[in-house]
Amino acid sequence: MIQPSRLYGGMGERRYKYMYEYVKKSEYAPVRKELEGIIKRVQNEMWERYGLTFQFQLIGSGKRHLITRIRGGNGGYDFDYNLIIQRWGDMYNSKVMIVKQGFMNAFKGAVKGTPYSSPKDSTSAITIKVIDKKQKKIFHSCDFAIIYYEDYSVNNGYYYLRNDKKRKVYEFVFRSINSGIEEKMHDILGKNGGWAYISEEYRKLKDINEGKGKHSYSLYAEAVNNVYNQMYLQ
């Protein structure tokens, strides 16, 4: 079995001071519950108004219990959900912009009475945040991506709703799935301490990525690949 010092250049001894810290489950679990309550209110609204149904799936770092934030920073931590359309209802022949606006309106209603800000129409998601305006600090935020699968592409990828702000166009764009990551993850977890290696490598990559804009899933995939290569290819 490889040693931490070999994989992380001495970081296994915890001499390295990370910019990022992991958020404890006791802190983020109630937030997740609150977010899923909001999603369920959106589900009810979309069904009652349009006959549209969707499932939701926690993805990214939240799914893998790798939720991070900058130590002492004001950006908080975030969740990511896929809202997977199952039945289109009255929106079957609607323009993509109408679909996005329907979800935006449903979220506006769903966050009323909560500490969350009004939803923002981001490029590939709908974003809500809990903000302390006096301290100019974000406690936590959440991105909701609207997606659907076609029967033949379930194992290869999905279509997500994108707001192309430069072209001023709403469209569904295909995104492929890197299926090899889960297999590598399975092999790593078969080793003693495998998860600790991934957790350490992921946090290291978060530090390196600061300001470069890579998404959490890309960093997670990179962490898995790095650990796998050290374990099996050297």
Side-chain angles (χ1 to χ4, degrees):
M1 181 64 185
I2 57 176
Q3 298 300 315
S5 58
R6 178 185 169 192
L7 184 54
Y8 302 112
M11 288 186 220
E13 299 175 15
R14 298 293 189 266
R15 290 197 297 264
Y16 180 82
K17 186 176 181 180
Y18 285 105
M19 179 186 300
Y20 281 84
E21 65 181 0
Y22 281 111
V23 181
K24 294 180 179 179
K25 185 177 180 180
S26 59
E27 180 178 348
Y28 71 72
V31 175
R32 176 180 175 179
K33 183 178 180 180
E34 184 178 44
L35 286 168
E36 294 185 358
I38 291 172
I39 297 173
K40 289 172 183 176
R41 291 197 288 276
V42 173
Q43 283 181 317
N44 291 337
E45 176 68 13
M46 296 301 289
W47 164 248
E48 292 175 2
R49 185 174 291 273
Y50 305 107
L52 183 148
T53 64
F54 67 88
Q55 296 178 346
F56 60 90
Q57 179 184 39
L58 180 63
I59 62 172
S61 57
K63 177 182 178 181
R64 298 174 178 87
H65 308 290
L66 295 172
I67 299 176
T68 60
R69 64 184 165 204
I70 295 178
R71 293 178 185 274
N74 61 1
Y77 59 93
D78 63 281
F79 285 88
D80 296 276
Y81 281 88
N82 278 343
L83 309 183
I84 309 163
I85 296 176
Q86 304 292 304
R87 176 180 173 182
W88 290 89
D90 296 338
M91 284 189 161
Y92 183 74
N93 291 315
S94 297
K95 293 181 179 180
V96 180
M97 180 180 66
I98 301 299
V99 177
K100 184 66 173 285
Q101 192 58 53
F103 273 95
M104 287 289 294
N105 290 337
F107 271 100
K108 284 180 183 178
V111 298
K112 286 183 178 179
T114 75
Y116 288 89
S117 61
S118 184
K120 178 183 177 183
D121 186 357
S122 303
T123 300
S124 58
I126 293 172
T127 304
I128 61 175
K129 301 177 180 180
V130 174
I131 304 173
D132 184 330
K133 293 182 179 180
K134 290 184 178 180
Q135 297 185 37
K136 297 181 179 180
K137 179 178 181 179
I138 299 173
F139 290 119
H140 48 264
S141 62
C142 188
D143 288 333
F144 305 96
I146 302 166
I147 77 168
Y148 74 89
Y149 291 92
E150 287 191 344
D151 291 340
Y152 64 84
S153 67
V154 170
N155 295 321
N156 299 317
Y158 56 85
Y159 289 86
Y160 73 97
L161 200 162
R162 181 172 68 183
N163 176 7
D164 190 326
K165 297 183 178 181
K166 290 183 178 180
R167 294 166 52 218
K168 297 182 180 180
V169 172
Y170 288 88
E171 58 189 349
F172 276 102
V173 179
F174 185 75
R175 176 177 286 166
S176 62
I177 296 175
N178 187 350
S179 59
I181 292 299
E182 294 304 321
E183 284 79 358
K184 290 180 180 179
M185 180 69 171
H186 180 269
D187 290 343
I188 293 169
L189 294 181
K191 297 286 189 179
N192 183 34
W195 178 251
Y197 288 117
I198 293 174
S199 176
E200 196 86 356
E201 180 72 0
Y202 177 75
R203 187 158 52 154
K204 183 186 77 173
L205 292 175
K206 289 281 288 189
D207 275 13
I208 294 172
N209 180 65
E210 175 62 20
K212 297 181 181 178
K214 276 190 180 181
H215 293 295
S216 294
Y217 180 78
S218 297
L219 295 173
Y220 168 75
E222 188 175 341
V224 172
N225 279 323
N226 289 351
V227 175
Y228 182 88
N229 290 342
Q230 287 281 358
M231 284 185 168
Y232 293 98
L233 301 184
Q234 291 192 6

